[in-house]
Amino acid sequence: MLCENSRIHSKCQLLLDIIIIIIIIIIVIIIIIIIIIIALKWIGSVNSLLERTRTELIEKMGSNRKG
């Protein structure tokens, strides 16, 4: 065990707890950032798909009016 001496055990344990909490917070932040990046890419692809569909519809409407 890292904290064997009983006098410094509580301080050492507190330090270890703080380090573990900081690591968990960093991992959570990284996961949130990854989720945001994936969501933004997904939203971007949906927007481009909608834009393409809208452009195709406008072109079809234009060709129908001419015909």
Side-chain angles (χ1 to χ4, degrees), residues 5-54:
N5 192 339
S6 61
R7 270 194 304 171
I8 57 169
H9 177 75
S10 59
K11 286 184 181 179
C12 186
Q13 192 64 46
L14 182 67
L15 188 64
L16 282 177
D17 289 347
I18 292 172
I19 291 171
I20 291 171
I21 290 170
I22 290 172
I23 290 172
I24 290 172
I25 290 172
I26 290 171
I27 290 172
V28 168
I29 289 172
I30 290 172
I31 291 172
I32 290 171
I33 290 171
I34 290 171
I35 290 172
I36 289 172
I37 290 171
I38 291 171
L40 288 176
K41 284 187 175 183
W42 184 80
I43 290 169
S45 65
V46 168
N47 279 345
S48 66
L49 183 68
L50 288 173
E51 187 68 34
R52 200 176 317 128
T53 309
R54 193 173 69 97

Side-chain angles (χ1 to χ4, degrees), residues 53-67:
T53 309
R54 193 173 69 97
T55 314
E56 288 173 6
L57 280 173
I58 291 170
E59 287 173 359
K60 284 181 184 174
M61 297 281 257
S63 64
N64 284 349
R65 285 185 191 151
K66 289 174 188 170

